[in-house]
Amino acid sequence: MSEKKRRAIVTGGSRGIGRAIVKELANKICSGVLLSDIVFVDDDAEKCAADLEKEINGSDVNIYAFQADATSFTDAQATVDAAVEKMGGVDILINNAGITKDNLLLRMSAEDFDRVINVNLKSVFNYTKAVLRPMMKQRYGRIVNIASVVGLIGNPGQANYVASKAGVIGFTKTMAKELGSRNITVNAIAPGFIETEMTKKLNDRQREGMLSGIPLQRMGQPEDIAKVVTFLCSPEADYITGQVIAVDGGMTM
């Protein structure tokens, strides 16, 4: 691999899976990825910056916190422009911003449907479109979108979330076809049940029900996702594009 160091943007990077991704990239656990700079974006990024910097203490990677609304293309473009100015370019984009507002469709409000679609799906459009010019100009880019296994199999009570994640999967495949000739790969990861703030709200009965459908008999950790993200950004994955990798303990096989 060339010793050229890469520059990354991670949306939804202040907590959960996003935070694990920032730490994994910063610590270069996958030795093929050499990072010089990481921008993490969230609606509370500035509050989390100091804590995150402490957690990656010892890394020689520069970490920058940008506060932005992922649903706003204007914010996304401004963030990418500022990141390019600060870092000199963008090589890696991780689209991780996401929320849930669960309910049966009969009880789901139009506002909750729109909000989830905007945060989970439109944000992927926003940041992908915003990084295209710098990536196409340098003829290099690695884009990884965080989808979900429910985007593959559906899930009652999550029509908005499932629709958003299924949309991310379709968007990923289309972008892989559009951008492959410019040496830009686009892949998606579909996490299963991961230990995050969202899943901590489950009661014991719900948790037992989930575990019964997972061959590995445990929930995943944010680091399980982060390691696959880092692999997809490494030279070992240079010939992988348009793929959806389920990281789910065997749940969807």
Side-chain angles (χ1 to χ4, degrees), residues 107-167:
R107 302 189 188 103
M108 184 177 292
S109 69
E111 291 77 15
D112 281 354
F113 187 89
D114 290 345
R115 179 64 179 163
V116 170
I117 294 293
N118 285 336
V119 173
N120 296 5
L121 179 56
K122 187 169 184 289
S123 67
V124 177
F125 162 83
N126 290 341
Y127 278 89
T128 302
K129 184 172 174 63
V131 301
L132 285 190
R133 289 190 186 279
M135 284 187 176
M136 290 174 74
K137 184 177 181 181
Q138 67 196 17
R139 298 188 70 83
Y140 180 91
R142 298 292 176 262
I143 299 173
V144 181
N145 300 321
I146 305 302
S148 170
V149 292
V150 300
L152 297 169
I153 62 175
N155 199 37
Q158 287 194 311
N160 48 5
Y161 187 75
V162 171
S164 70
K165 294 304 187 178

Side-chain angles (χ1 to χ4, degrees), residues 30-223:
C30 180
S31 61
V33 181
L34 297 177
L35 272 289
S36 62
D37 304 271
I38 301 175
V39 163
F40 76 95
V41 186
D42 218 320
D43 54 6
D44 62 352
E46 292 175 4
K47 293 180 186 176
C48 302
D51 288 343
L52 192 50
E53 286 174 1
K54 288 178 185 176
E55 290 180 26
I56 60 169
N57 186 35
S59 168
D60 58 358
V61 175
N62 299 313
I63 303 290
Y64 308 103
F66 284 19
Q67 195 152 319
D69 176 3
T71 70
S72 165
F73 177 72
T74 301
D75 274 19
Q77 187 66 67
T79 298
V80 171
D81 290 346
V84 169
E85 183 177 353
K86 188 172 285 288
M87 301 190 298
V90 178
D91 305 292
I92 294 167
L93 170 65
I94 313 300
N95 283 308
N96 171 71
I99 62 169
T100 58
K101 288 186 178 292
D102 298 347
N103 219 329
L104 294 174
L105 187 61
L106 189 65
R107 302 189 188 103
M108 184 177 292
S109 69
E111 291 77 15
D112 281 354
F113 187 89
D114 290 345
R115 179 64 179 163
V116 170
I117 294 293
N118 285 336
V119 173
N120 296 5
L121 179 56
K122 187 169 184 289
S123 67
V124 177
F125 162 83
N126 290 341
Y127 278 89
T128 302
K129 184 172 174 63
V131 301
L132 285 190
R133 289 190 186 279
M135 284 187 176
M136 290 174 74
K137 184 177 181 181
Q138 67 196 17
R139 298 188 70 83
Y140 180 91
R142 298 292 176 262
I143 299 173
V144 181
N145 300 321
I146 305 302
S148 170
V149 292
V150 300
L152 297 169
I153 62 175
N155 199 37
Q158 287 194 311
N160 48 5
Y161 187 75
V162 171
S164 70
K165 294 304 187 178
V168 168
I169 290 169
F171 185 86
T172 296
K173 292 177 178 292
T174 299
M175 288 302 97
K177 291 184 176 182
E178 287 190 13
L179 301 174
S181 64
R182 298 300 184 101
N183 193 31
I184 300 171
T185 66
V186 189
N187 292 288
I189 295 173
F193 293 117
I194 308 298
E195 291 274 11
T196 64
E197 289 180 14
M198 289 183 188
T199 54
K200 283 178 182 176
K201 298 175 184 177
L202 299 172
N203 60 41
D204 289 343
R205 185 173 61 82
Q206 290 171 318
R207 184 176 290 265
E208 288 171 9
M210 286 180 178
L211 291 176
S212 68
I214 302 173
L216 288 183
Q217 291 290 292
R218 68 173 179 87
M219 296 182 76
Q221 298 299 314
E223 292 74 19

Side-chain angles (χ1 to χ4, degrees), residues 220-241:
Q221 298 299 314
E223 292 74 19
D224 293 322
I225 308 304
K227 289 171 185 175
V228 181
V229 169
T230 310
F231 165 71
L232 289 172
C233 297
S234 75
E236 285 78 8
D238 280 352
Y239 201 56
I240 299 174
T241 195

